[in-house]
Amino acid sequence: MPNRYVRLAGFDQRLDLTKPDLGVAGGAALLEQLLRDRRLPVPLRGLTCAEVCEWRGFVEPMSVYRRLGKVVAAHMRSDAENRHYGGGESDEHKAYKDRAVRAAEDGGHTAIQEHSSKDRAIRSDVLIRGADGVLLGFESQLSPRNPREIHARDVAARRVGVLDAWQTDSQDMARDTTVPWLRTDRVPLELIMKRDSPIPFRGGIRRIELAKCDERFPGPCPKQRTGKCGGWHPTTRPAERPFDEFIRDAASGLYVRAIVKVKRTAFEFWTPTADHTAYLDATSSEPPAVIPKQQQVRRPMEDGDPTCRVRPPAPPEHETAPLPYIPAPRLPESLPSTAPAVTAAMPIAYRGKCGAGVQACGAPARFYPAGWLCDGHRP
């Protein structure tokens, strides 16, 4: 859930992270001061969450930093971050999770919601334990999310043997190829909650068909581009599947995520296990199909990107570091502000410590021609 507002001690109004001046007089100077001073312990900065945590009665210290040109608010503790994930869920999102659990249990499987691994690298909306040790993760994503985060969560789940099924009702998200999206129509909440209501998956599921490359095969061999090779060539076609039936079948191992190469293009989708097994047998003499790794483009963060995240605080070097300058509250435009200008200290370089910024960053660093710099400030 994007975190837009934070609160700073000494101000009655919230600070708006989407505005360059935070919505207060002198806010631009204050923001730069908070971004520079990383050696000050986070609880002493006076910055707290002014959204879900505050609404629920929690006082959670926060820090701010820049990521891809956007100001990001960071919690110190993972349980504070979890409040935002739970607080930011729509009723439709919760209904899809409940429906996935009900469908799995109707098929004789066990399912739990919001399951997290011990290292918190995996957080499944629904984790289903199916037949023969199948671990199926159901992830409902109805709001925009950074593709890099989706990919990281999907890879982390695969490493521990969890196969994630990603569902969305957004056509824009379904066009992204980070994961094989299972697309549903955008339906009202009442239809999602209604048992056995018709909600089919419109995309993400395909059938695999094999054609023998002989004299009956139309056209030249798609690999050699001439003649006939005598092998088997796959083609695919879309196949719809009802929501509840797919959850039960995938938990039973009847559907799998498969990477199939058609002609010279490889792509991933869900397919019946029997189709995938036949494809693997027909192409056993060929190297496994691999989707080429797409180069990650550094793009500005968007509204759907997570800006409320947990970031471990850097160990403080000086417990008695002075508090950052806090400008006076907003004054009427007719009255000039009497707030003194922010004084900038010269950066101090320490061996093995990053010296970037007006006040030295202080993070562990390596020596570059430009001086001691950490990974975040290296050239």
Side-chain angles (χ1 to χ4, degrees):
M1 174 182 178
N3 207 77
R4 177 176 180 178
Y5 295 104
V6 294
R7 194 175 297 280
L8 185 62
F11 286 85
D12 293 335
Q13 63 186 107
R14 300 182 297 177
L15 304 182
D16 190 345
L17 297 179
T18 63
K19 297 181 179 180
D21 63 349
L22 301 178
V24 297
L30 170 63
L31 177 60
E32 294 303 321
Q33 182 72 21
L34 292 174
L35 290 171
R36 285 196 302 263
D37 200 350
R38 298 187 180 183
R39 293 181 296 173
L40 187 67
V42 174
L44 298 183
R45 300 180 191 181
L47 199 67
T48 58
C49 177
E51 292 197 359
V52 176
C53 295
E54 184 178 84
W55 301 338
R56 297 188 177 184
F58 295 92
V59 179
E60 289 292 344
M62 300 194 77
S63 62
V64 294
Y65 64 99
R66 289 192 186 276
R67 178 174 178 267
L68 301 181
K70 188 170 185 177
V71 178
V72 178
H75 279 107
M76 296 178 59
R77 304 186 305 166
S78 58
D79 54 351
E81 182 192 30
N82 289 341
R83 294 192 197 106
H84 284 255
Y85 279 98
E89 290 183 356
S90 64
D91 293 337
E92 289 79 8
H93 184 270
K94 296 176 183 178
Y96 272 119
K97 293 195 301 182
D98 292 340
R99 179 158 184 156
V101 171
R102 185 172 65 244
E105 292 177 345
D106 288 347
H109 312 296
T110 58
I112 55 175
Q113 294 190 31
E114 298 298 336
H115 176 77
S116 299
S117 60
K118 293 182 179 180
D119 59 359
R120 306 203 62 79
I122 304 170
R123 183 182 58 256
S124 301
D125 283 346
V126 178
L127 182 63
I128 303 170
R129 185 175 295 276
D132 300 327
V134 173
L135 289 177
L136 177 68
F138 174 76
E139 300 283 356
S140 180
Q141 194 63 53
L142 307 182
S143 59
R145 182 71 73 176
N146 193 325
R148 286 184 291 272
E149 181 187 358
I150 298 293
H151 176 72
R153 289 173 57 183
D154 189 68
V155 171
R158 279 181 176 270
R159 287 174 180 169
V160 296
V162 177
L163 198 61
D164 279 342
W166 293 86
Q167 175 263 338
T168 185
D169 60 5
S170 170
Q171 294 189 12
D172 292 336
M173 292 189 64
R175 294 189 188 100
D176 180 69
T177 57
T178 305
V179 294
W181 291 100
L182 295 164
R183 186 181 65 82
T184 58
D185 294 330
R186 188 162 295 178
V187 297
L189 176 63
E190 294 76 12
L191 191 62
I192 303 174
M193 299 175 62
K194 184 178 179 182
R195 179 179 290 271
D196 296 330
S197 56
I199 303 181
F201 285 123
R202 303 291 190 185
I205 304 176
R206 303 183 73 87
R207 297 296 304 269
I208 304 175
E209 298 176 347
L210 298 171
K212 183 72 171 179
C213 188
D214 53 17
E215 63 278 0
R216 293 173 294 179
F217 186 81
C221 174
K223 294 182 179 179
Q224 302 177 357
R225 298 187 179 183
T226 181
K228 311 293 182 181
C229 69
W232 293 89
H233 299 308
T235 58
T236 66
R237 59 179 175 84
E240 294 185 1
R241 189 69 173 166
F243 183 101
D244 302 86
E245 293 182 14
F246 174 82
I247 295 296
R248 289 191 287 266
D249 290 347
S252 300
L254 301 180
Y255 275 79
V256 295
R257 277 174 58 170
I259 299 178
V260 175
K261 187 174 183 179
V262 178
K263 295 184 179 180
R264 298 180 181 272
T265 303
F267 56 102
E268 188 176 16
F269 50 84
W270 287 86
T271 190
T273 304
D275 288 11
H276 188 225
T277 301
Y279 165 77
L280 294 178
D281 292 342
T283 59
S284 58
S285 60
E286 303 176 7
V290 177
I291 298 178
K293 184 177 180 181
Q294 299 179 355
Q295 184 178 1
Q296 296 288 349
V297 180
R298 293 181 63 86
R299 59 174 178 80
M301 292 184 68
E302 300 175 353
D303 292 339
D305 292 344
T307 59
C308 179
R309 59 183 68 233
V310 173
R311 194 184 197 198
E317 293 188 5
H318 303 285
E319 295 290 347
T320 59
L323 291 173
Y325 161 70
I326 301 177
R330 180 185 289 274
L331 298 175
E333 295 183 0
S334 59
L335 299 177
S337 175
T338 59
V342 179
T343 57
M346 294 298 292
I348 302 176
Y350 297 94
R351 183 177 181 85
K353 302 293 184 181
C354 179
V358 177
Q359 288 186 344
C361 170
R366 293 183 295 176
F367 185 75
Y368 294 89
W372 291 96
L373 299 174
C374 66
D375 291 341
H377 292 102
R378 66 182 182 182

